[in-house]
Amino acid sequence: MLTVDDLNVWFGFAPDRVDAVQHAAFTVASGESFGLVGESGSGKSTILRAIAGLIDTWSGSIEVDGQAVTGTRRSRAFHKTVQMVFQDPYASLHPRHSVDAVLSEALKLQGMDDIDARITRLLQDVGLGRGFRFRYPHQLSGGQRQRVAIARALAAEPRLLLLDEPTSALDVSVQAEILNLLTDLRAEHGLTYVMVSHDLAVVGHMCDRLAVMQHGRILEVMDVDALRRGAGKTDYTRHLIEASAGYIRG
């Protein structure tokens, strides 16, 4: 579903250029959930943004479902295949647009018909009833806003979701609810996930494999069983796992 090869992402120009991602390479199979982990500033979210077309200063190769991605312009076909869910659900929703307006706009952009029935189904998919349809973001809790953001992403009926710390801005009490929702949606819709997180416990719960990043580079790619065993190949990976000991569960 996704192949990233020799990806480099930078900001600015010499002599002030910052190389945020260097020579990143990984593949994600259809139906797989793949994690990108590492400390803040390691380049995790930058990779997602380059894939989504939100950054134009990159080189290398990105292929989605066998189709090469170039520049920042993304076709309608790309957006019907790939959608992104951002970290802060309040910032990603227009404060003056109701849930109905948010979902209607997303469906119309994708050329969908039968808007009314599709909105009802989307709200049901993310665990929100019809009573939420005409509410505004300020009338929703953080968890409810993130459910709306996920529904908006699902409006295009994508196959690949890019998840940028989807629970880190939420209260601990609702983080598990959103993670369980994402797990259920992946199973129900046959979705492929690429999830960015600094939380190894989240990745251990959600992902099949993961790439460990530091200073813009991928240090190693490992499966989640190796993560649970603490079988990191590098000192940095072992340090991350040790710091999360007791939180990473099967």
Side-chain angles (χ1 to χ4, degrees), residues 216-227:
R217 294 181 179 271
I218 292 179
L219 300 184
E220 62 179 295
V221 176
M222 62 197 303
D223 62 39
V224 75
D225 289 334
L227 171 68

Side-chain angles (χ1 to χ4, degrees), residues 10-14 16-18 57:
W10 62 91
F11 301 104
F13 303 93
D16 301 317
R17 169 170 153 163
V18 175
T57 50

Side-chain angles (χ1 to χ4, degrees), residues 78-248:
F78 175 88
H79 288 298
K80 286 185 78 70
T81 303
V82 182
Q83 287 287 313
M84 187 163 174
V85 177
F86 296 90
Q87 177 178 358
D88 185 347
Y90 194 79
S92 69
L93 298 175
H94 195 298
R96 294 178 181 167
H97 287 183
S98 67
V99 172
D100 178 76
V102 168
L103 298 182
S104 294
E105 180 183 36
L107 289 163
K108 289 173 182 175
L109 282 172
Q110 299 300 332
M112 301 290 190
D113 56 10
D114 202 10
I115 302 294
D116 188 71
R118 287 180 184 273
I119 290 175
T120 299
R121 190 159 60 247
L122 285 169
L123 290 175
Q124 290 173 343
D125 279 351
V126 298
L128 295 175
R130 288 181 297 175
F132 289 90
R133 181 166 176 174
F134 296 101
R135 295 189 188 181
Y136 289 83
H138 72 273
Q139 296 173 311
L140 304 174
S141 68
Q144 290 165 350
R145 287 194 289 266
Q146 194 61 297
R147 288 174 188 266
V148 173
I150 293 168
R152 178 178 60 187
L154 293 176
E157 299 181 352
R159 297 169 60 198
L160 172 61
L161 279 190
L162 308 176
L163 304 168
D164 188 7
E165 300 265 16
T167 62
S168 64
L170 305 177
D171 292 340
V172 173
S173 59
V174 298
Q175 286 183 7
E177 295 177 11
I178 298 301
L179 293 175
N180 288 335
L181 170 65
L182 288 168
T183 299
D184 292 343
L185 290 170
R186 178 186 164 208
E188 291 168 12
H189 297 277
L191 297 169
T192 303
Y193 288 165
V194 180
M195 170 179 278
V196 160
S197 182
H198 65 274
D199 188 335
L200 286 184
V202 167
V203 170
H205 175 69
M206 290 290 297
C207 298
D208 306 305
R209 293 186 304 131
L210 61 142
V212 179
M213 296 192 66
Q214 184 186 33
H215 304 320
R217 294 181 179 271
I218 292 179
L219 300 184
E220 62 179 295
V221 176
M222 62 197 303
D223 62 39
V224 75
D225 289 334
L227 171 68
R228 292 167 182 158
R229 294 195 310 269
K233 295 178 181 177
T234 67
D235 289 340
Y236 178 75
T237 300
R238 289 191 291 270
H239 172 73
L240 276 184
I241 294 172
E242 288 169 6
S244 299
Y247 296 96
I248 303 171

